[in-house]
Amino acid sequence: MAGGKRVGSGEATVVLAGDSGPLRLPDELIADLDEMRLPESGVAGGPAAPRPHPERLRRAHYSYWAPLRSRIGDVDSNQHVNFIALATWYDEAVAAFTLDSIGTTAGGPVPDLPPWSYQIQYLGEVTYPGDYEVALTVRSVDTGSVHYELGVFRGNTCLGVADAIGPRGEPSAGR
């Protein structure tokens, strides 16, 4: 939490073990942890995270495309592109879209308008080597923010989607 807003969330499975195998957590601790569970947590026995709408998985849903190539430095120990690297891909797509939208040329001023909030769903494996495209469409704009819908594609296959919210800013100041 920062300034009363949730700035991130995630899930993890932790197994505490001793010489004889997994340790049983005390019932009181389990009850305390259950009280802290966020309502959208998709954990075993709880509600699953909602799947993206089918249109989000189709190329035709998006209006802007940013090509990206996975780098060896993006790969984690499981030979997949790391989730942090993927998050930066979404940042790159928003930045490229912003530059293209305001007509900034190479070497010109770069507006500082990165999204402050992401909700990311992984649908398939993003690997190295590989050429990908990050797709973007603007879902809505209000007085202070822009709401983006993004997707990572390899060919026609959608491997992940994200919803992002960033500042609207003053694009004309970047020209």
Side-chain angles (χ1 to χ4, degrees), residues 32-65:
D32 288 345
L33 292 171
D34 277 341
E35 287 178 17
M36 294 188 300
R37 182 185 306 169
L38 297 173
E40 69 274 9
S41 294
V43 296
R51 300 301 290 169
H53 291 283
E55 71 269 7
R56 296 284 305 273
L57 309 180
R58 293 193 281 271
R59 294 177 67 86
H61 178 72
Y62 301 95
S63 58
Y64 183 84
W65 296 85

Side-chain angles (χ1 to χ4, degrees), residues 4 10 14 17 20 25 37-38 70 102 110 114 116 119 140 146 149:
V14 178
S20 62
L25 294 177
R37 182 185 306 169
L38 297 173
S70 60
I102 64 175
V110 177
W116 60 63
Q119 182 176 20
S140 64
V146 179
E149 292 182 346

Side-chain angles (χ1 to χ4, degrees), residues 3 15 18 21 34 64 90 99 103 118 122 126 130 136 138 147 157-158 174:
V15 178
D34 277 341
Y64 183 84
Y90 291 123
L99 290 173
Y118 279 107
Y122 302 99
V126 179
L136 178 149
V138 174
H147 300 250
T157 303
C158 182

Side-chain angles (χ1 to χ4, degrees), residues 37-174:
R37 182 185 306 169
L38 297 173
E40 69 274 9
S41 294
V43 296
R51 300 301 290 169
H53 291 283
E55 71 269 7
R56 296 284 305 273
L57 309 180
R58 293 193 281 271
R59 294 177 67 86
H61 178 72
Y62 301 95
S63 58
Y64 183 84
W65 296 85
L68 288 166
R69 174 169 284 169
S70 60
R71 303 169 303 170
I72 190 64
D74 295 338
V75 177
D76 63 22
S77 61
N78 294 318
Q79 302 304 306
H80 302 114
V81 172
N82 182 284
F83 74 96
I84 293 173
L86 282 171
T88 66
W89 289 13
Y90 291 123
D91 278 342
E92 291 293 329
V94 170
F97 170 78
T98 303
L99 290 173
D100 190 56
S101 296
I102 64 175
T104 299
T105 59
V110 177
D112 186 22
L113 300 174
W116 60 63
S117 170
Y118 279 107
Q119 182 176 20
I120 299 173
Q121 291 184 348
Y122 302 99
L123 305 173
E125 294 181 1
V126 179
T127 59
Y128 171 85
D131 291 318
Y132 299 89
E133 292 176 287
V134 179
L136 178 149
T137 195
V138 174
R139 183 177 63 231
S140 64
V141 178
D142 57 38
T143 57
S145 61
V146 179
H147 300 250
Y148 303 97
E149 292 182 346
L150 301 112
V152 172
F153 285 80
R154 188 168 197 175
N156 287 323
T157 303
C158 182
L159 301 171
V161 296
D163 295 308
I165 303 171
R168 181 171 176 181
E170 296 295 332
S172 61

Side-chain angles (χ1 to χ4, degrees), residues 6-29:
R6 183 175 63 166
V7 296
S9 66
E11 296 179 20
T13 300
V14 178
V15 178
L16 302 175
D19 293 338
S20 62
L23 300 177
R24 172 136 172 73
L25 294 177
D27 290 337
E28 184 178 322
L29 177 58

